[in-house]
Amino acid sequence: MKPLYDEQVCSFLHYLIKKTTPFVILGVVYYIWLSMTHLYIPCIFRSITGYRCPCCGTTTMCVSILRFRFSDAFYANPFIFTTIPFILFEIVYNVYLSYTEKRMPLWNKILLGVYCSALLIFAIIRDFM
């Protein structure tokens, strides 16, 4: 009988945690900073152009998710909010590729290109409609 948790799976999970922990810690520190000071990092693109960039509202969205205010999170950046599962998949998949020392396949590069194009289209529609 095969064990429930294979040694290779555990090794990958350890690698995934090792690679993502610094970003999680940074996010927690930034969240604590925001909670204490209410000082958000401003969007440079918006400061210069007056238009929202494709990622404008992401900080507000993340804070709203952490506070279980999902409608506020959706309103802050609907595109990124609805594609969070895809973003998480890409993070895990890219860590997996790094772990196995494989190159990103063409289908994934095309998928990321389509995603980035859709994100730009969303930003244009959001700013001009």
Side-chain angles (χ1 to χ4, degrees):
M1 188 171 186
K2 194 172 183 178
L4 184 60
Y5 292 104
D6 188 57
E7 188 175 313
Q8 202 171 24
V9 172
C10 288
S11 177
F12 170 67
L13 290 175
H14 184 291
Y15 184 79
L16 177 67
I17 291 168
K18 180 179 155 188
K19 289 291 184 182
T20 57
T21 297
F23 299 102
V24 172
I25 291 170
L26 186 62
V28 169
V29 168
Y30 185 51
Y31 177 73
I32 292 168
W33 166 264
L34 291 176
S35 298
M36 293 173 64
T37 65
H38 303 288
L39 295 174
Y40 287 63
I41 297 173
C43 176
I44 295 170
F45 181 83
R46 191 171 188 178
S47 298
I48 294 170
T49 66
Y51 296 108
R52 292 179 286 185
C53 77
C55 295
C56 271
T58 302
T59 300
T60 303
M61 180 194 70
C62 291
V63 169
S64 296
I65 289 171
L66 290 172
R67 294 180 178 165
F68 299 103
R69 296 179 185 155
F70 298 110
S71 61
D72 292 344
F74 178 80
Y75 180 75
N77 194 318
F79 186 86
I80 293 181
F81 180 80
T82 56
T83 59
I84 287 174
F86 172 74
I87 294 167
L88 293 176
F89 164 78
E90 280 298 325
I91 291 168
V92 172
Y93 185 62
N94 279 286
V95 171
Y96 170 76
L97 290 175
S98 172
Y99 174 73
T100 58
E101 298 178 352
K102 293 182 180 178
R103 297 178 68 179
M104 183 181 291
L106 179 62
W107 65 265
N108 197 6
K109 291 178 184 179
I110 293 170
L111 187 62
L112 287 172
V114 168
Y115 179 82
C116 291
S117 299
L119 182 60
L120 287 173
I121 291 168
F122 159 75
I124 291 167
I125 291 171
R126 176 174 68 170
D127 280 336
F128 295 106
M129 295 195 111

